[in-house]
Amino acid sequence: MKRITLILLTLFAYFSSFAQVGIIENFSTTTLPTGWTNASFANTDVAPCEGTYAWRKNFWSLGTTGTLTTPNYVGVSNGTDVSVSFQWKATEYDPGDGVGFTVNVQFSTNNGTTWQTIGSPISTTSVTECAAFTATIPAAS
């Protein structure tokens, strides 16, 4: 009887389980995670949301555009949705300078030839302390 129960439990666990893929990157260091590239972003240890360091875009001295791009994660979704989340903040370079920007979080299914925006754009005209961004890349994508 014990063997039958064990076999049934094993079969139940096998058929009711599913695979989940996680990609967790650490931006709290002085270098970007392996494979990431950046254009016009810099590393800072000034008031990050978490940890010791953060990567930031300084619109004052580094122009008005920039990108942080992941390496190509080929087939990591396992046919399921992929959740994307991170923290962001907006600060003034000097008090009274003002804040204003819009960021689109995008993904590509063809090595960067075309891009699709996910979630709502991050847009602010005021100082913002450590807000969360969360969006989903659909499994079909």
Side-chain angles (χ1 to χ4, degrees), residues 59 100-104 121-124:
F59 293 106
F101 66 84
T102 299
V103 173
N104 290 306
I122 299 169
S123 188
T124 189

Side-chain angles (χ1 to χ4, degrees), residues 5 7 11 15 18 30-32 38 40 43 52 55-56 62 64 73 75 81-83 87 102 112-113 115 123:
T5 304
I7 291 170
L11 286 173
F15 287 114
F18 61 93
T30 56
T31 58
L32 283 172
N38 95 75
S40 194
N43 183 263
T52 308
W55 286 82
R56 73 174 177 193
L62 297 175
T64 59
Y73 297 115
D81 292 348
V82 175
S83 297
Q87 289 186 336
T102 299
T113 302
W115 295 89
S123 188

Side-chain angles (χ1 to χ4, degrees), residues 1 7 15-16 18-19 34-35 43 45-46 59 61 72 87 102 112 130 133:
M1 181 64 168
I7 291 170
F15 287 114
S16 65
F18 61 93
T34 302
N43 183 263
D45 62 355
V46 178
F59 293 106
S61 63
N72 186 12
Q87 289 186 336
T102 299
C130 298
F133 174 88

Side-chain angles (χ1 to χ4, degrees), residues 32 37-41 57 65-69:
L32 283 172
T37 60
N38 95 75
S40 194
F41 275 74
K57 170 69 178 133
T65 62
T67 60
L68 279 175
T69 307

